[in-house]
DNA sequence: ACGCCCGCCTGTAAGC
DNA sequence: TGCTTACAGGCGGGCG
């Protein structure tokens, strides 16, 4: 499930491979992957344009075109962006194919079709892409004084996992990394944010930054289902560093207690009942 | 206005 | 062995 570290890994790959390249053709075959405009409209706004740079905000990938417009991808659950050559056979569920004038191809593959691509004029972001416009603190991109983070956390009365996965507060964390962050911070998923001591807020703040940076260094997490791969189809390595996620019944690496799994908001949550308080 | 929960999807795996 | 069911979860929208 691509979260910030996985999306950042793909961003770096995309920027290295496609910045400066000019789009020759766009082929959209998936019915749902382009849904904010007609397929023709997206094609018209992208063909002939050059990829200037590739940015990321939270879990959104933003390709800045030389027209000033943004070609945006959100991978949701199962989306993949893959570099290929036109002659390699297209995997099942390939919905969008972008060809470049110098050769080379970018493919959007997405079995569950939750993911999407759209073009937006950044001047009209608030009206046309509020989810992208209203993102909160990006722990990799934005420097935030920890006292500002403390103000944010203490002003709310939310379970910590809700707060961490709320994209308008912290941009980029999902189910896996929120569990990992909370374990590093030694805090339970259901602790109410306004009950934290300043020391605990500081631990949480540092844990977010630490986990995100280490996961980016490891090129993200690939689970058993191999859903996430980078632009070259290669798996990440951070799953080997997971302390709690998908480790129920195993020993907590910090205190050796048994890691538990529980249902929380319809999602699996993994935590150590002993050293997370 | 806010918080919770469903629906969207397919592939995989567990269970009978 | 083969079919059914549960599960994976980001996010928007609808409902209470």
């Amino acid at each position: 499930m691509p979260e910030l570290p996985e999306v950042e890994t793909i961003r770096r790959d995309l920027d290295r491979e496609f910045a400066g390249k000019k789009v020759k053709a766009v082929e959209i075959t998936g019915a749902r992957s382009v849904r904010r405009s007609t397929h023709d409209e997206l094609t018209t706004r992208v063909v002939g344009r050059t990829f200037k740079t590739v940015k990321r905000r939270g879990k959104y990938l933003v390709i800045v075109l030389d027209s000033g417009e943004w070609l945006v991808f959100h991978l949701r659950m199962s989306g993949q962006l893959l570099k290929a050559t036109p002659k390699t056979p297209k995997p099942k569920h390939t919905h969008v194919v972008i060809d470049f004038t110098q050769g080379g191809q970018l493919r959007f593959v997405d079995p569950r079709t939750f993911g999407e691509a759209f073009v937006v004029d950044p001047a009209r972001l608030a009206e046309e892409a509020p989810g992208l416009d209203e993102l909160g603190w990006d722990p990799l991109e934005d420097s935030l004084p920890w006292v500002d983070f403390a103000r944010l956390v203490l002003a709310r009365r939310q379970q910590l996992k809700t707060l961490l996965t709320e994209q308008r507060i912290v941009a980029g964390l999902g189910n896996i990394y929120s569990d990992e962050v909370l374990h590093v911070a030694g805090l339970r998923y259901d602790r109410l944010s306004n009950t934290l001591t300043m020391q605990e807020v500081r631990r949480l703040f540092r844990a977010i930054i630490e986990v995100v940076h280490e996961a980016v260094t490891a090129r993200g997490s690939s689970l058993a289902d191999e859903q996430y791969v980078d632009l070259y189809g290669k798996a990440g390595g951070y799953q080997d560093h997971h302390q709690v996620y998908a480790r129920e019944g195993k020993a907590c690496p910090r205190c050796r207690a048994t890691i538990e799994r529980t249902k929380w908001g319809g999602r699996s949550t993994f935590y150590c009942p002993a050293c997370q308080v």
Side-chain angles (χ1 to χ4, degrees):
Chain A
M1 328 295 139
E3 302 179 28
L4 190 157
E6 292 76 32
V7 179
E8 175 63 18
T9 301
I10 296 169
R11 183 201 71 76
R12 293 178 181 185
D13 292 347
L14 281 172
D15 199 55
R16 183 170 54 242
E17 294 291 341
F18 297 113
K21 298 257 170 87
K22 185 175 175 181
V23 176
K24 185 168 80 179
V26 177
E27 188 190 10
I28 304 165
T29 47
R32 273 173 44 84
S33 301
V34 175
R35 48 184 180 258
R36 301 198 190 200
S37 72
T38 63
H39 295 183
D40 280 351
E41 190 185 341
L42 183 136
T43 301
T44 303
R45 288 162 80 175
V46 175
V47 169
R49 301 272 63 89
T50 296
F51 282 15
K52 286 189 75 178
T53 54
V54 184
K55 297 173 181 291
R56 180 193 54 73
R57 284 291 301 167
K59 300 172 197 167
Y60 289 85
L61 275 166
V62 176
I63 298 167
V64 180
L65 304 173
D66 62 348
S67 59
E69 292 203 299
W70 292 357
L71 170 59
V72 181
F73 284 92
H74 197 304
L75 306 176
R76 290 294 206 282
M77 300 300 305
S78 61
Q80 301 176 338
L81 283 166
L82 298 169
K83 183 182 191 263
T85 57
K87 51 186 98 160
T88 39
K90 286 193 195 74
K92 205 176 169 183
H93 308 298
T94 302
H95 304 310
V96 181
V97 176
I98 299 177
D99 281 290
F100 295 88
T101 54
Q102 300 96 324
Q105 197 172 71
L106 176 62
R107 295 172 176 173
F108 179 61
V109 179
D110 185 14
R112 293 169 71 179
T113 72
F114 290 175
E116 64 168 327
F118 61 92
V119 179
V120 68
D121 175 352
R124 300 180 49 76
L125 207 57
E127 311 90 84
E128 292 180 6
L132 173 54
D133 189 53
E134 291 165 17
L135 290 171
W137 172 50
D138 187 304
L140 195 66
E141 208 64 25
D142 309 327
S143 69
L144 177 76
W146 84 271
V147 287
D148 291 355
F149 178 74
R151 205 169 297 131
L152 211 73
V153 170
L154 298 171
R156 309 174 76 89
R157 183 178 174 82
Q158 273 183 315
Q159 294 190 354
L160 287 180
K161 187 159 174 173
T162 307
L163 187 138
L164 290 183
T165 54
E166 179 83 56
Q167 302 301 300
R168 280 171 300 183
I169 308 296
V170 182
L173 301 184
N175 205 41
I176 297 172
Y177 290 101
S178 56
D179 282 5
E180 291 300 316
V181 162
L182 287 167
H183 180 267
V184 169
L187 296 165
R188 281 179 63 101
Y189 63 96
D190 55 358
R191 263 292 286 283
L192 290 173
S193 58
N194 64 340
T195 69
L196 265 57
T197 65
M198 283 308 252
Q199 193 185 19
E200 287 173 327
V201 175
R202 195 178 165 85
R203 282 211 317 261
L204 181 60
F205 180 75
R206 295 171 77 99
I208 294 170
I209 293 170
E210 179 188 316
V211 167
V212 164
H213 277 85
E214 287 180 3
V216 168
T217 300
R219 298 184 63 81
S221 301
S222 294
L223 303 178
D225 60 10
E226 291 277 327
Q227 206 78 265
Y228 161 71
V229 288
D230 66 16
L231 189 65
Y232 313 104
K234 288 211 162 64
Y238 193 71
Q239 63 282 357
D240 300 335
H241 301 261
H242 288 179
Q243 309 284 295
V244 287
Y245 188 83
R247 297 191 71 249
E248 77 270 28
K250 297 193 171 137
C252 169
R254 183 165 51 210
C255 75
R256 315 310 295 172
T258 304
I259 291 162
E260 287 184 8
R261 173 190 196 144
T262 185
K263 269 281 179 218
W264 175 90
R267 306 288 179 251
S268 286
T269 288
F270 303 88
Y271 69 105
C272 173
C275 68
Q276 291 180 248
V277 296

